[in-house]
Amino acid sequence: MSARPTVRAYIGLGANLGDAAATMASGVAALEALPGVAVRGVSRLYATAPWGFTDQPEFRNAAAGLDVAGGTAGAEADALDLLASLKAIERSGGRQARARWGPRELDLDLLLFGRHRIDVDRSDDARSIDADADPTKAAKRLEVPHRHLRERLFVLAPLADLAPRLVPPGWTETIDTRRRIVAAAEPPGSIRVVGQWDPASGRWLPAGDGPATSSGGAS
């Protein structure tokens, strides 16, 4: 029997409560443990200024590249299944329902799912954990590429570590080109590298103590 085809998906990770880097590293381990999923790369760890609601601690952000085994129901169903798994990992990481753009114990976003463009209603288990506290989240659909990917440097920077030359479906520019455009409009110090992923230990080491580049990934 031949192996099932895989889809390269990219996940954004973020947190700003507790030991954010440790919680995010546990999130990466949980992604690796998902059936039919293999983590192929993890970006550097970034410290980023809060976005939207600024009166809160700075965030830690990163990205992970996954190979996801395809099912028989199609890309939309596979993406929804993956999103439901992300929500379950958030809950296991202590995620609490809060208002939009508020602090997070752990946030996992599905940024890209292969070459697919997806716009579909969420299943109940793929709804945002904040849906009960934020009516706008309750009505939110799954959109891939992620609807805010083009404008958020805290997502573009780690994603560019893994796939700088990738042109997402519906775009006309690469991830790294878009990163540079958005970075030029950001105030100085809004984002900085604070860690390098160490596959051996499954965590980020302080910047300068780890390998010179991010671990794995593909364009």
Side-chain angles (χ1 to χ4, degrees):
M1 181 180 295
S2 60
R4 288 185 293 171
T6 61
V7 173
R8 176 60 55 89
Y10 289 97
I11 308 301
L13 302 95
N16 73 334
L17 294 176
D19 189 340
T23 302
M24 291 165 61
S26 295
V28 173
L31 290 171
E32 183 71 73
L34 291 175
V37 171
V39 175
R40 297 305 188 193
V42 180
S43 76
R44 295 177 292 180
L45 183 67
Y46 290 80
T48 64
W51 196 90
F53 174 65
T54 58
D55 187 17
Q56 60 179 311
E58 68 177 6
F59 274 78
R60 296 295 182 264
N61 288 100
L66 316 177
D67 279 347
V68 181
T72 59
E76 287 185 355
D78 291 343
L80 282 170
D81 285 346
L82 178 58
L83 183 62
S85 295
L86 300 185
K87 298 307 160 188
I89 293 171
E90 287 180 349
R91 292 185 183 92
S92 68
R95 174 73 177 267
Q96 301 295 313
R98 290 188 174 86
R100 190 181 189 190
W101 298 325
R104 297 285 186 265
E105 290 85 2
L106 180 62
D107 193 24
L108 301 176
D109 286 327
L110 177 54
L111 306 177
L112 297 167
F113 195 74
R115 301 301 304 166
H116 299 289
R117 299 181 72 174
I118 297 171
D119 186 354
V120 64
D121 286 331
R122 297 186 183 214
S123 55
D124 288 344
D125 54 358
R127 293 172 75 238
S128 170
I129 293 172
D130 300 330
D132 292 335
D134 184 349
T136 64
K137 291 289 188 73
K140 190 176 178 183
R141 293 164 63 85
L142 171 60
E143 297 179 44
V144 181
H146 191 284
R147 63 190 300 184
H148 295 304
L149 177 57
R150 289 177 54 87
E151 62 198 64
R152 293 180 173 177
L153 185 58
F154 65 82
V155 180
L156 289 166
L159 186 55
D161 283 349
L162 301 177
R165 297 180 297 279
L166 177 64
V167 179
W171 290 29
T172 59
E173 59 197 354
T174 67
I175 292 293
D176 193 54
T177 296
R178 187 64 191 169
R179 177 197 63 80
R180 287 187 278 108
I181 291 171
V182 174
E186 291 282 333
S190 60
I191 186 169
R192 65 188 189 279
V193 176
V194 295
Q196 305 276 358
W197 183 253
D198 177 37
S201 63
R203 63 188 179 94
W204 285 276
L205 301 178
D209 293 347
T213 60
S214 56
S215 170
S219 58

